Amino acid sequence: MKRVDRVWILQSAIDYVTEGLLPEEPFENEEQRSRFETVVKDLKEYLEQVGPEQFARTTFDVGDEDLYDGEDEE
């Protein structure tokens, strides 16, 4: 999955966990939907562990997974 897609999913998941907002754009495929659901679950668990103040100060990194499969960074 391209970095831009992972960033969009992460930001959408953060918006959902903190504000209850679902993504305005539909998921392009089941992989995106599945990744979103997994990230939401993980973020909810993290929020419960650290509380809203620490969660708000946390920065997240999507990593460079797409480099292994030859996709160009756009």
Side-chain angles (χ1 to χ4, degrees):
M1 183 178 294
K2 290 186 177 183
R3 182 178 175 83
V4 66
D5 294 330
R6 292 193 321 273
V7 169
W8 174 75
I9 289 169
L10 175 59
Q11 185 59 59
S12 296
I14 291 170
D15 291 345
Y16 181 74
V17 169
T18 59
E19 301 174 34
L21 301 173
L22 286 171
E24 289 183 17
E25 298 179 27
F27 298 105
E28 293 180 5
N29 53 50
E30 189 56 37
E31 180 185 15
Q32 285 185 350
R33 177 179 302 285
S34 176
R35 174 82 59 117
F36 173 79
E37 291 169 355
T38 298
V39 173
V40 165
K41 179 182 173 283
D42 293 345
L43 289 176
K44 283 181 177 181
E45 289 174 4
Y46 179 68
L47 176 59
E48 289 176 10
Q49 290 174 0
V50 301
E53 290 180 19
Q54 179 63 37
F55 186 89
R57 290 191 300 264
T58 302
T59 56
F60 299 95
D61 183 6
V62 296
D64 292 324
E65 290 176 18
D66 57 332
L67 297 180
Y68 76 89
D69 59 11
E71 293 182 28
D72 292 331
E73 193 70 27
E74 294 180 12

